[in-house]
Amino acid sequence: MAAQNIDEILLKEIITHSFDEIFITDGEGNVLEVSPSCYELYGVDPDQLIGGNVIDLEKKGFLNPSVTALVLRSSQPLTIVQETKAGKKILVSAYPIFKNGSLVRTLSFSRDITEFEKLKERNEQVADTLAIYKREIENIKRLESLLYENSKMTEINSLVSKVANLDVTVLIEGKSGVGKSRIAQLLHNQSVRAKEPFIEVNCGAIPETLFESELFGYDEGAFTGAKRGGKKGYFELAASGTIFLDEIGEMPLNLQVKLLTVLQNRKITRIGGSRVIDINCRIVCASNQSLRKLVDEKKFREDLYYRIDVVKLVIPPLRDRKNEIPTLIHEFVEVFNKKYNITKQFSPEMIDWLCHKDWPGNVRELQNFIEKTLVTSNEDIIQFTPSQQKLQVTNGESSLTSYMESIEKEFIKRMYKKYPTSIALAKALQISQSSANRKIQKYIKKPC
């Protein structure tokens, strides 16, 4: 009996002094014990609850919702966040207690997490604000390459800002490598769709037989080899973001009709499917050819041309915007230094030489040259030398594979001089030793 009294006293002390509010009922939901902190959390005196039933108390609004009542119904532990009449956020965990297979008690613990939730909310607000600032900084960096004395680029930048939040179809024209995809990305980043996907589709790189399935997707069983469950096309993947159809002049005529229908109706149907899917993405198109000329040559549909040529941006070649080159150099150097974990720069003389070149391959050619030069140079500050004039720079016409191999070759040769074993090279490049061996055999041991 004495032991029982000690247990009862101990239970009372635990309930009284617990940091959490403790709430105990019998198997029918009748309240047996409530800790004094109940008043602080819920604004209700414990005496008003003891002896009552949680179902009735829930109806009266004392416990809303009653976690204990939910546990009694499910016989399963449960944790939820409650909001009291006083506006406090309470984390409540309740547990069923069984004896001989019957539910005989429920035990719940409540803790005030109001301040924690406010702090979490403030942190989320700060994170959102930082994300906005980050996007703005990125936008400013991208805009830097457009804000020059060149009146044409100033005009383009102004037009981009005007139409960014208008759901009009934009057509970007310009020679290969002038930076059409950069302008499309800029349009997206300045719009309210910035948080949504930006899907870039090179219409000239998709085989005609796959074009329709890539753009519109397909349902399961649409054709032999179709994926189980089907596949979303680019229009669906773009969701409420932007789809950028680059080199649209390469799109087959029979598919131009279907694209026209999409632009008019804002709906698509997957291959092999019957369900009509509404689309909400913005459509931006680009071409390295004059679409007006292609229309005259009967190689592009006139009705589609007028549908996509609502706002046209014609990007001049890099030779007509040489004031842009120093900023582009700075941007590319920063990107490739980070990519290859190096810290190299171009000397003022070298930058001046780069600014006086014509760059027939435009921005892409400049980018390729900078990447190759940074990777192959042994100097931290890359100086201009007379031999520099003899350098053959790629204009983007060679295949991507051969170009990337040439960069990798020079990079591996330089790194191998510093790390002359396959183990050391693998560790430095963070690749497997077998991969390092293959690259050594390919670029170092064999005649190049």
Side-chain angles (χ1 to χ4, degrees):
M1 185 69 178
Q4 184 180 1
N5 289 336
I6 291 174
D7 289 342
E8 290 176 355
I9 293 170
L10 182 60
L11 178 60
K12 280 285 187 183
E13 290 299 312
I14 292 173
I15 292 174
T16 300
H17 299 294
S18 171
F19 178 79
D20 294 330
E21 187 264 343
I22 298 177
F23 191 90
I24 303 173
T25 75
D26 62 17
E28 301 298 324
N30 298 309
V31 183
L32 303 177
E33 296 286 352
V34 181
S35 58
S37 57
C38 175
Y39 185 81
E40 295 179 14
L41 297 186
Y42 294 97
V44 181
D45 194 291
D47 292 336
Q48 292 180 266
L49 302 178
I50 294 176
N53 187 276
V54 292
I55 305 299
D56 296 331
L57 293 171
E58 185 178 43
K59 290 178 180 178
K60 293 177 182 178
F62 287 114
L63 307 171
N64 190 24
S66 169
V67 184
T68 299
L70 295 173
V71 170
L72 287 169
R73 295 185 187 109
S74 67
S75 298
Q76 297 291 327
L78 181 64
T79 297
I80 66 170
V81 175
Q82 292 179 325
E83 184 167 353
T84 70
K85 289 182 178 179
K88 287 189 175 184
K89 293 285 183 70
I90 310 297
L91 180 67
V92 187
S93 296
Y95 306 88
I97 300 173
F98 297 92
K99 184 177 181 181
N100 298 327
S102 298
L103 196 158
V104 295
R105 294 285 189 274
T106 67
L107 175 63
S108 70
F109 302 90
S110 301
R111 177 171 294 186
D112 188 353
I113 59 170
T114 306
E115 291 304 316
F116 173 79
E117 287 294 304
K118 287 181 179 178
L119 180 61
K120 179 182 175 184
E121 185 177 336
R122 284 197 294 271
N123 286 342
E124 289 174 350
Q125 290 173 349
V126 170
D128 288 343
T129 303
L130 288 175
I132 291 171
Y133 287 157
K134 183 178 179 182
R135 286 197 303 273
E136 290 301 319
I137 290 171
E138 289 174 350
N139 288 342
I140 290 170
K141 285 183 177 179
R142 292 185 179 96
L143 278 169
E144 281 181 351
S145 61
L146 299 176
L147 298 175
Y148 298 97
E149 295 175 7
N150 182 286
S151 59
K152 184 62 179 177
M153 292 309 295
T154 302
E155 179 185 331
I156 288 171
N157 173 63
S158 176
L159 194 52
V160 166
S161 299
K162 286 179 182 177
V163 304
N165 280 321
L166 302 178
D167 277 335
V168 295
T169 304
V170 177
L171 173 61
I172 305 170
E173 288 190 352
K175 298 295 183 181
S176 293
V178 294
K180 297 186 290 294
S181 63
R182 291 162 62 88
I183 300 297
Q185 184 77 61
L186 190 65
L187 271 166
H188 175 75
N189 291 340
Q190 288 194 23
S191 74
V192 293
R193 301 175 184 268
K195 290 184 179 180
E196 300 297 327
F198 177 83
I199 303 295
E200 184 170 348
V201 183
N202 188 330
C203 298
I206 303 175
E208 184 173 349
T209 53
L210 299 177
F211 214 104
E212 191 172 357
S213 64
E214 291 294 305
L215 281 182
F216 307 124
Y218 56 79
D219 278 353
E220 182 175 342
F223 49 81
T224 302
K227 287 183 179 179
R228 186 175 182 181
K231 176 186 173 183
K232 289 184 177 181
Y234 290 129
F235 278 107
E236 282 187 82
L237 292 173
S240 296
T242 301
I243 184 168
F244 174 48
L245 300 176
D246 197 9
E247 306 304 349
I248 194 171
E250 303 294 329
M251 180 177 286
L253 282 167
N254 62 310
L255 288 173
Q256 291 179 23
V257 181
K258 295 190 176 183
L259 178 60
L260 177 63
T261 303
V262 171
L263 288 166
Q264 290 174 334
N265 302 328
R266 308 294 296 180
K267 300 176 186 296
I268 63 168
T269 303
R270 291 184 184 181
I271 296 176
S274 57
R275 182 169 64 94
V276 175
I277 302 169
D278 293 322
I279 63 167
N280 185 37
C281 59
R282 191 212 191 125
I283 299 172
V284 178
C285 303
S287 175
N288 64 357
Q289 307 174 70
S290 167
L291 290 189
R292 178 67 263 179
K293 184 178 178 182
L294 292 180
V295 169
D296 294 340
E297 295 172 354
K298 307 300 181 184
K299 295 178 181 178
F300 198 84
R301 291 183 62 94
E302 188 171 19
D303 48 5
L304 177 58
Y305 170 70
Y306 287 122
R307 175 64 68 171
I308 65 177
D309 187 23
V310 179
V311 174
K312 181 186 288 185
L313 302 173
V314 181
I315 313 301
L318 190 55
R319 64 176 178 272
D320 294 336
R321 17 192 285 240
K322 289 190 175 182
N323 285 337
E324 180 178 348
I325 292 177
T327 300
L328 286 171
I329 294 171
H330 173 77
E331 179 183 329
F332 294 143
V333 167
E334 185 178 344
V335 168
F336 295 128
N337 273 339
K338 185 176 181 180
K339 178 179 179 180
Y340 296 112
N341 194 27
I342 54 179
T343 54
K344 298 182 180 180
Q345 298 295 330
F346 287 105
S347 69
E349 295 78 14
M350 185 66 169
I351 293 174
D352 183 64
W353 179 76
L354 293 173
C355 289
H356 283 84
K357 288 186 64 62
D358 279 342
W359 302 110
N362 296 295
V363 178
R364 186 179 298 123
E365 180 183 3
L366 174 65
Q367 180 181 358
N368 290 351
F369 175 79
I370 289 173
E371 182 176 14
K372 186 171 184 177
T373 304
L374 289 173
V375 167
T376 58
S377 173
N378 293 319
E379 305 298 327
D380 289 334
I381 304 296
I382 301 170
Q383 303 288 344
F384 173 76
T385 62
S387 62
Q388 202 79 43
Q389 298 179 17
K390 300 178 182 179
L391 283 176
Q392 297 298 314
V393 296
T394 174
N395 63 5
E397 297 298 326
S398 61
S399 73
L400 178 62
T401 301
S402 60
Y403 172 67
M404 293 306 295
E405 281 188 355
S406 69
I407 291 179
E408 185 179 60
K409 167 187 164 184
E410 297 296 336
F411 184 59
I412 294 298
K413 288 172 69 176
R414 182 167 61 83
M415 293 296 285
Y416 188 69
K417 289 180 180 179
K418 191 173 182 180
Y419 304 99
T421 69
S422 60
I423 296 175
L425 183 64
K427 185 176 180 181
L429 299 182
Q430 297 183 0
I431 59 177
S432 66
Q433 187 183 357
S434 59
S435 295
N437 263 321
R438 284 195 296 272
K439 294 183 186 300
I440 291 170
Q441 293 300 319
K442 182 177 181 180
Y443 299 122
I444 309 296
K445 302 299 183 182
K446 291 184 178 180
C448 296

